[in-house]
Amino acid sequence: MWDSESETGGGGGGGRDYGNGAISSTKHALQTDGFELRDRSWYVATDIPSDFLVQIEGVQFHLHKYPLLSRSGKMNRLIYESREAAEVNKVVLDDLPGGPDAFELAAKFCYGIAVDLTASNISGLRCAAEYMEMTEDLEEGNLIFKTEAFLSYVVLSSWRDSIVVLKNCEKLSPWAENLQIVRRCSESIAWKACANPKGIRWAYTGKVPPKVSSPKWTDSSSSPSRNQQPVPPDWWFEDVSILRTDHFVRVITAIKVKGMRFELIGAAIMHYATKWLPGMIKDGGGIHEGSNNSDFSGSGGSSNWKGGLHMIIAGGTTTNKDDPLAPSVQSKDQRMIVESLISIIPPQKDSVSCSFLLKLLRMANMLRVAPALVTELEKRVGMQFEQATLADLLIPSYNNNKTMYDVDLVQRLLEHFLVQEQTAESSSPSRQSFSEKHGNMYDGMAAQRGGGNNHPSAKMRVARLVDSYLTEVARDRNLSLTKFQVLAEALPESARTCDDGLYRAIDSYLKAHPTLSEHERKRLCRVMDCQKLSIDACMHAAQNERLPLRIVVQVLFSEQVKISNAIAHNNHSSPAAGFYQPMVPNRKTLLEGTPQSFQEGWSAAKKDINTLKFELETVKAKYMELQGELESLQRQFEKATAKHGSSAWAVGWRKLSMFGKGGGLDGSDHGGDHHHRGAGEGQGSSRKTPARRWRNSIS
């Protein structure tokens, strides 16, 4: 931080003639030794009795009319207007900005007593001087002039003084706003935050007590380079985070105008959220996936500042059980903070992390933030949806929905993402056409290799995220089939090169909803492409009793086609065969990413396949044995009939036995010449064969 050179001496003038921060009015001053406090009343230490009483918030000031009339236009007017009232010598000024402390300093100035101006009292004294109309028309060098000069020449040149004054302006609305104190301090802070860090001599951060010297603005040549420490780009985060939300918004807005990098602005907003929104902090640390410019862990609760909003508990809970209105008040304050932060997030992508946006969206839904701001925040999440994690997407349903998680919200986020992707693709049609022609082919090869794509596209990452989300929310018994199906089918088919994740989600849904009808189960399984399942997933699906029989047949058929194609490629040793060889090494990866039930199913399926193979071989052996016995019986019968001659009855019986061996009249060697002649003439009917046999016997 910057500081005035003489700040440690009580807010001095930094070389200017302001009496080391002390101002006084010597013209027409009443001789006094100062003010004395008795109980809750102030008295002027003088021999002249007081003739005027001023009461402010229960504190009484026993003063004299003349010093006040000569320097305050408001006092002049109040005394004149109350000359006919019952209590002419008493006025009540409960609306005076700065309260009794500011009026005490103003009264001392009227009496000619030296007043020390510091960053802590200057804002209240400046507003009190304006309220009391202590202008140059009444006296040259009046309080307005001197406080304004101190603000302009001392406070605004110091980083820490500007922060302190802006912090003290929180209790002076709307006076500080109307007097441009907030605007000038905000611009001073913004200018110093955007200045070249090489001109800063680093001393401490805002966590150190304020008596320690602050970082000071110096020339590069005036400070030894060997003793100068590098200043981190986030050096100003902690100091501006003590400001009230509306003043923080003013500072960030001024910093945007100065042209600071949007990544730093976003990091400052995330740091502010960790401090004032405890719901944004996870496991006591800072925001996860934050900017690399600074480490925010633990900064939310380590500051010595004890602001009112700092004690707000997420969700509107309160530590004061005696105050029933406290939860609603705290929720209102938190809602104002969330709405303010949403409005100042830079529009550029990646200015803040997607995890931060989703946490902010969770709180916005919980606190019922304005719908327009929620919609804007959802669009921002859609711009970076591929960076989201499953834990961030599991947002509870704060509406009256029966589901445990807000599935409709994720559906809207996915729609915003697809709109952004379509806009990006339409802006570069050449890239889009190339990816359409070649992207799917490469993605399919990568999927069959099992290793996936080293640099998957945004849609592929979102597809994996959606599949994981569906697997998690499918366990909710109140999740309707329509919502599950709509979310699963929202992405195009090209986004998924492997449907194993979608199959896991379907299986989880079937487990949690055992009462689904056959038609509903078929409808659920339509969202899955059986041809995109891996070997292990197919083995599990083949014996999954929850799946419809038609789906099991499709899975088996698609797996048979895959195996046949793989064998054909390997037999021909084609160059493309290399794409199918690494299917087995990927099995370990698939096993690690699947539930235990999948692995048990695969091992059981292997045993069943081996058993079926063994039974098939046994049946084949039995068949061959029976075939041999049949041939042996036929040979024995032929030998027995050959001993009795070749009668017509024997020949007919021999032909009949040939039919039992699988042969016909054609090609038999036991029928004689007349048989061969009949075969040569063609296949005749049963009536022609006896006629030929009769003619042969006559000849």
Side-chain angles (χ1 to χ4, degrees):
M1 299 187 305
W2 277 274
D3 243 345
S4 56
E5 295 293 337
S6 58
E7 180 184 351
T8 55
R16 299 177 180 86
D17 187 13
Y18 289 106
N20 196 23
I23 60 173
S24 63
S25 177
T26 58
K27 183 178 180 181
H28 306 297
L30 183 65
Q31 296 296 330
T32 178
D33 295 333
F35 281 26
E36 297 177 355
L37 178 62
R38 303 171 189 171
D39 293 334
R40 289 180 60 84
S41 300
W42 286 94
Y43 296 89
V44 182
T46 180
D47 296 335
I48 303 175
S50 61
D51 58 353
F52 191 65
L53 177 64
V54 179
Q55 181 175 336
I56 302 174
E57 299 177 1
V59 180
Q60 294 182 349
F61 293 86
H62 299 270
L63 307 174
H64 302 83
K65 291 182 180 180
Y66 178 71
L68 299 178
L69 294 175
S70 61
R71 295 172 180 84
S72 173
K74 186 175 183 66
M75 288 295 183
N76 215 330
R77 187 171 62 257
L78 287 176
I79 294 174
Y80 176 77
E81 293 175 353
S82 62
R83 65 186 184 278
E84 298 178 356
E87 296 182 1
V88 180
N89 299 326
K90 179 182 179 181
V91 295
V92 179
L93 302 177
D94 289 338
D95 58 342
L96 184 140
D101 297 335
F103 183 79
E104 176 195 348
L105 298 177
K108 287 181 178 180
F109 176 82
C110 293
Y111 277 88
I113 302 174
V115 178
D116 290 334
L117 297 182
T118 63
S120 301
N121 61 27
I122 186 61
S123 56
L125 188 57
R126 173 67 182 89
C127 295
E130 190 72 22
Y131 176 88
M132 297 176 64
E133 302 175 9
M134 303 177 70
T135 62
E136 295 296 295
D137 297 337
L138 299 176
E139 180 181 345
E140 185 179 356
N142 210 344
L143 188 57
I144 290 180
F145 172 79
K146 293 192 174 182
T147 52
E148 189 66 32
F150 187 82
L151 273 172
S152 301
Y153 293 104
V154 179
V155 171
L156 298 181
S157 63
S158 168
W159 167 266
R160 180 178 175 274
D161 287 349
S162 300
I163 293 286
V164 173
V165 170
L166 190 56
K167 183 65 182 175
N168 291 331
C169 288
E170 296 175 0
K171 300 175 292 184
L172 300 172
S173 299
W175 289 90
E177 191 72 39
N178 296 335
L179 295 175
Q180 305 297 320
I181 299 176
V182 174
R183 180 188 62 81
R184 288 183 289 173
C185 289
S186 300
E187 291 182 353
S188 174
I189 294 170
W191 180 81
K192 293 176 176 62
C194 297
N196 190 350
K198 294 181 179 179
I200 306 172
R201 188 165 64 247
W202 183 250
Y204 84 102
T205 64
K207 301 177 184 179
V208 181
K211 292 183 179 180
V212 183
S213 177
S214 306
K216 301 176 181 179
W217 174 257
T218 57
D219 296 332
S220 300
S221 59
S222 61
S223 58
S225 58
R226 60 183 179 181
N227 296 329
Q228 188 174 6
Q229 300 178 0
V231 179
D234 61 342
W235 63 269
W236 52 277
F237 289 2
E238 181 65 25
D239 294 324
V240 299
S241 65
I242 69 171
L243 300 175
R244 199 174 64 185
T245 306
D246 56 340
H247 293 165
F248 176 78
V249 171
R250 293 288 295 271
V251 171
I252 294 298
T253 303
I255 288 176
K256 286 183 180 179
V257 175
K258 302 295 180 183
M260 178 174 284
R261 301 198 315 269
F262 64 86
E263 298 93 344
L264 273 180
I265 296 176
I269 295 173
M270 291 192 292
H271 182 75
Y272 187 86
T274 60
K275 191 168 188 120
W276 298 99
L277 297 174
M280 304 294 295
I281 305 174
K282 188 175 182 181
D283 297 332
I287 295 179
H288 295 267
E289 300 182 12
S291 174
N292 295 329
N293 294 327
S294 61
D295 185 9
F296 299 146
S297 59
S299 61
S302 59
S303 176
N304 293 327
W305 184 261
K306 301 296 182 183
L309 293 179
H310 189 63
M311 307 306 295
I312 295 175
I313 306 299
T317 58
T318 177
T319 56
N320 187 5
K321 298 181 180 180
D322 298 333
D323 187 6
L325 296 178
S328 61
V329 173
Q330 292 180 353
S331 298
K332 182 179 179 181
D333 292 336
Q334 281 193 324
R335 186 185 307 115
M336 183 265 296
I337 295 175
V338 172
E339 291 177 348
S340 301
L341 295 182
I342 294 175
S343 63
I344 62 175
I345 294 177
Q348 292 86 354
K349 184 180 179 180
D350 297 328
S351 58
V352 294
S353 66
C354 186
S355 177
F356 170 78
L357 292 175
L358 286 170
K359 289 183 175 69
L360 200 62
L361 182 59
R362 179 197 299 259
M363 295 201 69
N365 289 334
M366 179 179 64
L367 299 172
R368 301 186 183 279
V369 172
L373 291 175
V374 173
T375 302
E376 182 64 26
L377 188 57
E378 290 176 357
K379 292 180 179 179
R380 292 299 310 274
V381 175
M383 293 173 58
Q384 310 172 214
F385 196 53
E386 69 276 8
Q387 303 172 8
T389 61
L390 178 60
D392 296 329
L393 277 185
L394 295 176
I395 300 176
S397 180
Y398 296 105
N399 299 325
N400 295 326
N401 296 336
K402 296 181 180 180
T403 57
M404 182 184 304
Y405 298 107
D406 198 342
V407 181
D408 295 333
L409 172 62
V410 177
Q411 177 69 29
R412 293 195 300 270
L413 297 179
L414 186 57
E415 291 175 357
H416 291 309
F417 166 76
L418 294 176
V419 170
Q420 294 288 340
E421 284 292 307
Q422 185 177 3
T423 304
E425 291 175 357
S426 61
S427 61
S428 54
S430 59
R431 180 176 61 86
Q432 179 188 6
S433 60
F434 179 81
S435 61
E436 288 178 352
K437 292 179 180 179
H438 305 280
N440 294 335
M441 178 182 68
Y442 295 149
D443 293 342
M445 292 178 179
Q448 295 194 9
R449 285 196 301 266
N453 195 349
N454 292 332
H455 301 284
S457 63
K459 288 183 180 179
M460 295 173 63
R461 292 195 295 268
V462 170
R464 289 197 292 265
L465 177 63
V466 171
D467 293 345
S468 301
Y469 180 80
L470 286 172
T471 304
E472 188 67 28
V473 300
R475 304 187 181 114
D476 187 1
R477 295 182 179 273
N478 295 324
L479 180 63
S480 65
L481 176 60
T482 302
K483 286 187 177 182
F484 184 95
Q485 186 177 8
V486 169
L487 185 57
E489 295 177 344
L491 286 167
E493 295 182 0
S494 59
R496 292 186 178 93
T497 57
C498 180
D499 276 8
D500 284 9
L502 196 55
Y503 171 67
R504 285 194 292 269
I506 293 174
D507 189 51
S508 298
Y509 191 88
L510 291 174
K511 287 180 181 178
H513 302 78
T515 59
L516 290 178
S517 63
E518 183 73 13
H519 173 71
E520 290 173 335
R521 287 189 292 141
K522 290 181 180 179
R523 175 184 164 193
L524 174 65
C525 294
R526 286 196 195 103
V527 302
M528 175 182 63
D529 187 357
C530 298
Q531 297 181 359
K532 292 184 179 181
L533 294 178
S534 63
I535 296 179
D536 295 329
C538 288
M539 292 173 62
H540 181 272
Q543 56 179 353
N544 192 343
E545 298 178 355
R546 291 178 292 272
L547 294 178
L549 181 60
R550 184 182 184 88
I551 301 299
V552 175
V553 173
Q554 291 179 1
V555 169
L556 293 175
F557 178 75
S558 62
E559 187 59 26
Q560 182 67 28
V561 172
K562 289 181 184 179
I563 295 175
S564 301
N565 292 337
I567 294 175
H569 279 280
N570 289 331
N571 291 338
H572 291 84
S573 300
S574 61
F579 295 139
Y580 298 89
Q581 293 174 0
M583 293 174 69
V584 176
N586 187 41
R587 179 178 173 181
K588 182 179 180 181
T589 306
L590 290 175
L591 285 174
E592 294 175 352
T594 54
Q596 184 67 23
S597 61
F598 272 49
Q599 302 180 23
E600 295 175 356
W602 294 333
S603 59
K606 287 182 179 180
K607 295 179 181 179
D608 293 342
I609 291 174
N610 294 332
T611 303
L612 291 174
K613 287 182 178 179
F614 177 76
E615 292 178 354
L616 181 61
E617 294 295 333
T618 304
V619 171
K620 287 183 178 180
K622 291 282 187 182
Y623 175 77
M624 297 301 296
E625 182 179 354
L626 292 174
Q627 186 70 21
E629 293 179 356
L630 177 62
E631 293 178 354
S632 177
L633 290 174
Q634 290 175 347
R635 286 194 296 270
Q636 292 178 5
F637 179 77
E638 291 173 357
K639 291 179 181 179
T641 56
K643 296 179 180 180
H644 299 285
S646 299
S647 62
W649 181 85
V651 173
W653 182 260
R654 188 182 300 113
K655 291 181 179 179
L656 183 62
S657 66
M658 291 302 297
F659 281 108
K661 291 182 65 176
L665 296 175
D666 305 322
S668 177
D669 295 335
H670 302 279
D673 295 337
H674 61 274
H675 179 72
H676 290 289
R677 191 181 305 111
E681 293 174 357
Q683 294 180 352
S685 63
S686 58
R687 296 178 180 178
K688 294 181 180 181
T689 303
R692 288 199 302 269
R693 189 181 304 125
W694 178 252
R695 288 195 299 269
N696 291 337
S697 61
I698 292 176
S699 63

